[in-house]
Amino acid sequence: MCGIVGYTGPRECVPILLEGLRRLEYRGYDSAGIAVVNGDGLTVLKDAGKIDQLQDLVDKDPPTGHHGIAHTRWATHGEPNQINAHPHTDTRGHFAVVHNGIIENCDSLRETLKAKGYEFVSDTDTEVLAHLIQEYWDGSLEKAVASALRLVTGAYGIAVISDLAPGIIVGARKGSPLLVGVGDGEFFVASDVSAILAHTRHVVYLGDEEMAILSPQGYRTQTLNEIPVNREIQEVTWELDQIEKGGFPHFMLKEIHEQPKAIRNAIRGRLVDDQAEARLGGLNLAGDELRRFDRIILTACGTSWHAAMIGEYMLEEYLRVPVEVEYASEFRYRSPVLDSRSLVIVLSQSGETADTLAAVKEAKRRGARVLGICNVVGSSIARETDGGVYIHAGPEIGVASTKAFTGQVAVLALLTMYLGRWRGLSDEVARELIAGLRAIPEQMERILADGPAIAEIAQLYAKHDNFLYLGRGFNFPVALEGALKLKEISYIHAEGYPAAEMKHGPIALIDENMPVVFLCTRDKAYEKVLSNMAEVRARRGRIIAVATEDDATIASRADHVIRIPHTLDPLVPLLSVVPLQLLAYHIAVARGCHVDQPRNLAKSVTVE
Ligand code: AGP
């Protein structure tokens, strides 16, 4: 949730750290800080608020030095104020620590340290680490950090510096991501590759309970018990312009517009036309194993959970295998019934969501095979699962997920085809799906060209306080997703429902002040959804309908109609969600909201 960046090398570190923080700001943005070592000792500057506030502080009296760490925070323990901002230091001010994650036993550690005379100034769990490192200091920073971490339960990605160990950064991780950036005579530590991509694309991902010791001369990786670990240097394939706005006012709008490309990337090289099947290399499942599964469980959080629901509908329709969808946060604690005949598929854009990662571990513990559908290459979930499929949507910076959602749905369609071939899916149906998927990018481009019309509708409704989103079948998860998008970035209360459920309760809310977004595409449920629309109209609700291009009936039934091209029912979500993303975006902009960094949220939720 928070972001970490550190630098050691020949250059002035402060500009590098601040630039890194700006690239990480989407990860957490309620306070930020920086620690730098130079000949005068350790300097820490930090404040509540965004990076701009930290920049102001730095500009007043810029610290110099070639060795530093920095952090942007999403508060867990303690409110977001100056004192709780990272870095945290020990009582004597020699050790500075930045930390992502949660130290679960911080209360008992704090009491023990207080009894020894350590004074605490913040409400954070992180501060215990700074004091523990002081407690264990005997001339070696790596040993002090390792000793401190051996006492910690919980999750951490940390970076530590000290004026007693010039040039050295010690990084370590368990549960929260951390990587080393390998430059030319300079080294970086970061929670996310985007922080350092401007300087190097060579990275080493640390494993759980591993440490990295960096100096201007090189780096080493080892376990907390000082056993050397040889981790391969990987080359990042992302380009810098992929993590920049590229002329768009917000990352979210850029990423909405990147969806045609994201779908092309997700399906590239994976559709085999002449054999009418999908080719997915990373599943690590043999054909006889695929036939053995008698149940599929999809688990995820938030937007990824909505994609999972669409996956449930697809897989059941084409595979005729029972499929369940579970919130990852519930799955872990619900004692799920799983065995070796269960296939668990987890979905996560970031690959770092703590609840989803915990679900992976729980499913493996109970003997299930676990596949992952992730966007971030090398992420924790990608590494913990038995196999999986990357969606290749490219970096998603906007906190509100857009292109990762449609990428996940496209991959679920591929997976349906892949698994279907082992379970009797006919050539004819597979060919239809292939043709449908291939057409999606161009169809999305046509919807995106309609952006200005959607922006006009958004202007009309930007002052409303409540919205309902209704859809049936494959469009029901899209209704949920549309409502979530609006809530997240505009702070308008919005709910998604299966359209027919409306009359079992939510209909009481309908009056002339309630905008209702109907997903009313020409599919199996079309006529029924028209009836649900009539029920809203009869109560003077305002209707925005997402409908199919050639639908001549709809104009007389709705106040506003947004048209999308025709596609197969299971692929409709790939198109019908796009106008809802744009609607949410333009409403949020009209309300003056901070679209890319909505309040209280962070891009990847690495705490439970
Ligand atoms: C999406 O707009 C949200 N920000 C959020 O619901 C997100 O989808 C959820 O936290 C899961 O994230 P993940 O896909 O990275 O696991």
Side-chain angles (χ1 to χ4, degrees), residues 301-304 347-350 353 399-401 484-485 488 605:
C301 300
T303 287
S304 296
L347 293 95
S348 174
Q349 185 284 132
S350 61
T353 301
V399 164
S401 185
L484 178 66
K485 284 289 88 81
E488 280 188 299
V605 185

Side-chain angles (χ1 to χ4, degrees), residues 323-344:
V323 182
E324 290 155 50
V325 179
E326 283 242 24
Y327 284 114
S329 50
E330 289 298 308
F331 180 84
R332 180 194 186 179
Y333 291 109
R334 207 183 48 78
S335 192
V337 179
L338 297 173
D339 58 28
S340 60
R341 292 163 69 90
S342 314
L343 177 63
V344 173

Side-chain angles (χ1 to χ4, degrees), residues 500-514:
E501 272 298 301
M502 178 192 60
K503 56 188 171 299
H504 299 288
I507 198 164
L509 299 169
I510 308 284
D511 63 15
E512 66 278 15
N513 296 316
M514 177 63 94

Side-chain angles (χ1 to χ4, degrees), residues 365-544:
R365 200 177 66 79
R366 289 175 183 265
R369 283 301 285 265
V370 186
L371 300 180
I373 297 179
C374 293
N375 191 31
V376 178
V377 176
S379 55
S380 301
I381 291 173
R383 285 184 295 143
E384 285 277 340
T385 41
D386 300 315
V389 190
Y390 283 119
I391 62 177
H392 296 310
E396 191 180 67
I397 308 288
V399 164
S401 185
T402 52
K403 63 177 180 173
F405 172 78
T406 44
Q408 286 167 335
V409 175
V411 164
L412 285 163
L414 294 174
L415 198 61
T416 302
M417 266 186 267
Y418 183 89
L419 298 176
R421 297 308 275 161
W422 295 95
R423 291 186 173 255
L425 185 78
S426 73
D427 272 16
E428 191 193 347
V429 174
R431 279 188 212 289
E432 266 179 21
L433 277 169
I434 289 178
L437 265 176
R438 285 207 193 284
I440 292 290
E442 186 271 330
Q443 293 179 318
M444 280 177 159
E445 277 156 5
R446 278 156 54 196
I447 302 170
L448 292 167
D450 218 12
I454 298 171
E456 277 177 30
I457 300 173
Q459 294 301 327
L460 299 174
Y461 291 92
K463 293 210 166 74
H464 283 70
D465 294 325
N466 298 287
F467 268 72
L468 261 183
Y469 285 72
L470 303 176
R472 296 181 84 150
F474 283 98
N475 270 327
F476 163 48
V478 179
L480 297 178
E481 175 59 9
L484 178 66
K485 284 289 88 81
L486 188 70
K487 270 189 269 228
E488 280 188 299
I489 59 169
S490 73
Y491 319 140
I492 292 174
H493 172 242
E495 287 192 61
Y497 264 92
E501 272 298 301
M502 178 192 60
K503 56 188 171 299
H504 299 288
I507 198 164
L509 299 169
I510 308 284
D511 63 15
E512 66 278 15
N513 296 316
M514 177 63 94
V516 185
V517 179
F518 268 98
L519 292 142
C520 185
T521 51
R522 280 218 181 263
D523 52 32
K524 267 193 269 187
Y526 174 72
E527 299 290 343
K528 306 277 178 203
V529 178
L530 278 186
S531 308
N532 301 139
M533 266 165 86
E535 289 155 11
V536 169
R537 204 134 218 224
R539 286 155 186 88
R540 290 175 292 130
R542 308 297 306 275
I543 297 176
I544 302 166

